[in-house]
Amino acid sequence: MIVPIPEVHRLNSPVSQPGSLKVVFLKDLFELGTARHFINDFYRWLEYDKPTVRKRHSRSLSGLPGLSEASDLNDADVWILPMTWNYYLEHGKVGMVHNAVNEGLRKGKKVIAFSTGDFTANVPFKGLTIFEASVYKSRNTGAQTMPVFIEDYLEKYAGGELLLRKKQPKPLVGFCGQAGGNFMSHIFRSARLASRRFAWKAGMTTWEPAAVEHTGLRSRILKNLASSPLVQTNFVLRKKYKGTEAGNEEKVKAQFVHNIIDSDYTVCVRGTGNFSARFYETLCLGRIPIFVDTDCRLPFDNVIDWKKYCVWVESSEIERIGQKVAEFHDKMSSEHFIYVQRSCRELWASRLQRDAWLNVFLLASPNATQ
């Protein structure tokens, strides 16, 4: 039995009475056409896109505690855009959203949108509550952090069993992914990123590029760990994203997952977006992340003390990352090491997987700000 640590226990407490919050989708801002992939998953649950909902989901809004769908805009507490922010931005419809937000605020409604993919939404007006993965903590835009949703890797790769590791004198740090490449490849990537940032600042592109060249950042982190006498390493470095060719995806993914399972800790640092999907994958598998903070905002950071679940490394501490891991590891007893692994898994299952997060995201989020 997984015993949650206090933060998880509090999050599992009831948050609202059934049906106490009424939501409505702004169907006038829905255009199917060839843009089907922009429909947000929450909207799909209501079976407006039935072939997709049958394939990907089995629930409806009525199954979410505390929520019900209003039949009229005026009766709803919350208005939700049925398409992701990506659609409105990339199809020149931001003005349409702005008008809807102004109308909602005038009527005292909270207006919500989802943004998907690697990039930060950067909404050019106030009042819209946006849920996304790539949130910068210092920007204070009012954006809310949405986890990266993944399937249950324990079910798929470990028969549903949480495989717990015993504490060893020296921590074993894992990483499997894109971080390889020679000096010239890093120069090329850095020049390409600089070009993209110039184009974005000049208004030539819609999405903000990364602030840092992430493969170089990863390489620097891993080199510091590999050279540290305080840790052991279990690295699989790849030159390409996911390091795979067509037809070999499952084998490569299995290797990635088992690298996490077979390590005590896993390095989790941003990629193109200012978030780490690997962070959620590590928690899902009941392992302890080494989280390198690049001005990130994590989900439920007003409730959860994330430093209890992971080795927290500031960007300024990368040169000492081996020492940080060793200090975290040495402070734990063998029993507590097992306890933290269980707690990481429980946290993912209770609040960070898709169904669990959607059960509380409206109720847990503050009123629209920006």
Side-chain angles (χ1 to χ4, degrees):
M1 177 180 178
I2 297 176
V3 181
I5 65 177
E7 286 83 354
V8 178
H9 180 73
R10 288 200 297 272
L11 285 170
N12 279 330
S13 301
V15 289
S16 180
Q17 296 299 316
S20 62
L21 192 68
K22 294 182 179 180
V23 304
V24 69
F25 292 90
L26 301 180
K27 298 170 187 176
D28 290 342
L29 296 181
F30 174 82
E31 296 181 19
L32 189 55
T34 59
R36 183 183 300 270
H37 61 288
F38 286 105
I39 304 172
N40 76 56
D41 285 336
F42 205 41
Y43 191 62
R44 294 180 200 270
W45 278 18
L46 297 187
E47 300 190 7
Y48 291 110
D49 188 25
K50 291 185 178 180
T52 303
V53 78
R54 281 197 295 268
K55 180 179 178 182
R56 298 182 59 190
H57 303 290
S58 59
R59 301 177 57 187
S60 67
L61 190 64
S62 61
L64 297 178
L67 304 182
S68 63
E69 187 181 13
S71 57
D72 183 81
L73 290 175
N74 293 317
D75 292 336
D77 303 298
V78 177
W79 293 2
I80 304 178
L81 273 63
M83 310 290 270
T84 63
W85 172 255
N86 312 54
Y87 170 78
Y88 302 104
L89 180 64
E90 295 173 16
H91 289 76
K93 299 182 183 294
V94 171
M96 180 189 299
V97 176
H98 194 184
N99 291 338
V101 168
N102 286 339
E103 179 67 11
L105 294 179
R106 188 179 67 82
K107 294 184 176 182
K109 311 299 182 182
K110 179 178 178 179
V111 186
I112 282 177
F114 298 88
S115 183
T116 59
D118 286 333
F119 302 105
T120 303
N122 289 330
V123 180
F125 51 83
K126 297 183 182 297
L128 180 67
T129 297
I130 193 117
F131 286 90
E132 58 183 332
S134 187
V135 179
Y136 287 86
K137 182 168 50 181
S138 65
R139 295 188 180 182
N140 195 29
T141 62
Q144 306 298 312
T145 308
M146 181 171 65
V148 176
F149 298 125
I150 58 172
E151 59 186 319
D152 190 339
Y153 287 0
L154 280 190
E155 293 293 335
K156 184 171 182 178
Y157 295 98
E161 180 184 0
L162 177 57
L163 305 171
L164 296 167
R165 291 182 61 83
K166 294 182 179 179
K167 185 174 185 284
Q168 301 298 324
K170 187 177 289 190
L172 179 61
V173 177
F175 180 87
C176 178
Q178 185 183 15
N182 56 32
F183 176 75
M184 290 307 299
S185 67
H186 289 312
I187 292 295
F188 171 76
R189 292 191 187 107
S190 297
R192 182 176 59 186
L193 176 59
S195 175
R196 289 173 176 172
R197 289 199 62 80
F198 176 82
W200 175 70
K201 290 179 179 179
M204 298 164 62
T205 58
T206 54
W207 292 102
E208 177 185 1
V212 297
E213 201 289 294
H214 64 276
T215 56
L217 176 62
R218 289 178 178 181
S219 179
R220 178 183 160 209
I221 291 166
L222 298 179
K223 284 179 180 178
N224 274 281
L225 284 164
S227 64
S228 173
L230 302 175
V231 302
Q232 303 176 78
T233 58
N234 179 23
F235 295 163
V236 179
L237 305 184
R238 294 174 174 153
K239 294 181 180 180
K240 295 181 179 180
Y241 176 62
K242 296 185 177 179
T244 184
E245 297 178 358
N248 199 33
E249 293 89 349
E250 281 302 315
K251 180 180 178 181
V252 170
K253 186 66 177 182
Q255 183 185 35
F256 170 87
V257 170
H258 285 287
N259 180 268
I260 297 175
I261 293 174
D262 295 338
S263 304
D264 299 327
Y265 302 86
T266 292
V267 177
C268 302
V269 61
R270 67 166 294 160
T272 302
N274 192 35
F275 64 94
S276 169
R278 194 187 315 265
F279 178 75
Y280 301 98
E281 293 166 320
T282 302
L283 292 170
C284 170
L285 290 165
R287 293 295 179 264
I288 304 170
I290 300 170
F291 183 73
V292 180
D293 182 20
T294 53
D295 194 22
C296 301
R297 170 154 284 159
L298 295 178
F300 302 113
D301 62 355
N302 61 327
V303 178
I304 298 170
D305 182 356
W306 281 105
K307 294 180 182 180
K308 292 182 179 179
Y309 294 88
C310 60
V311 182
W312 191 279
V313 181
E314 300 290 345
S315 296
S316 60
E317 299 175 316
I318 289 174
E319 307 304 321
R320 299 193 298 113
I321 191 169
Q323 179 183 344
K324 296 280 291 187
V325 175
E327 289 174 352
F328 184 95
H329 189 74
D330 291 345
K331 288 178 181 178
M332 288 186 289
S333 65
S334 297
E335 293 77 14
H336 192 70
F337 183 64
I338 297 291
Y339 179 65
V340 174
Q341 291 176 68
R342 292 185 183 276
S343 297
C344 286
R345 167 64 188 185
E346 176 65 15
L347 178 59
W348 178 83
S350 66
R351 280 299 173 264
L352 301 176
Q353 58 99 350
R354 185 191 303 270
D355 287 4
W357 185 80
L358 283 172
N359 275 337
V360 297
F361 87 99
L362 285 172
L363 301 170
S365 63
N367 290 333
T369 58
Q370 197 179 56

